[in-house]
Amino acid sequence: LEKEGDFVRFAGRRVDVSTYSPVAGKKKFQAVLLGLDEEGRVLLEVGAEKTAISRREMASIKLVPEIRF
């Protein structure tokens, strides 16, 4: 995910996130993408907790492939 539109279009999907500094004690984790806030931060749901992370703090964010039968 790179452009602002990608974060809105794929809201609700699971993502793999890597950050430069730990978030809730982890640098790599899976979350549900919720979109962007007014300041352009990425909104994520990690477990039962919602958080906002600056795009500059993220090393990478990728969609988790969904396999539907």
Side-chain angles (χ1 to χ4, degrees):
L1 304 172
E2 294 180 15
K3 300 176 185 172
E4 283 188 21
D6 294 340
F7 293 93
V8 175
R9 180 176 31 183
F10 295 113
R13 298 275 307 270
R14 293 198 62 75
V15 289
D16 283 326
V17 181
S18 296
T19 59
Y20 293 112
S21 58
V23 174
K26 296 183 179 183
K27 291 176 78 173
K28 292 185 179 186
F29 53 92
Q30 275 196 1
V32 175
L33 178 63
L34 300 176
L36 295 174
D37 69 5
E38 306 82 31
E39 298 173 14
R41 295 179 300 178
V42 179
L43 298 172
L44 300 169
E45 184 175 316
V46 183
E49 191 175 315
K50 294 182 181 176
T51 187
I53 302 174
S54 166
R55 290 171 59 187
R56 292 181 184 153
E57 294 175 30
M58 288 190 286
S60 70
I61 181 168
K62 298 178 183 179
L63 291 172
V64 173
E66 287 184 7
I67 299 173
R68 297 180 185 181
F69 293 97

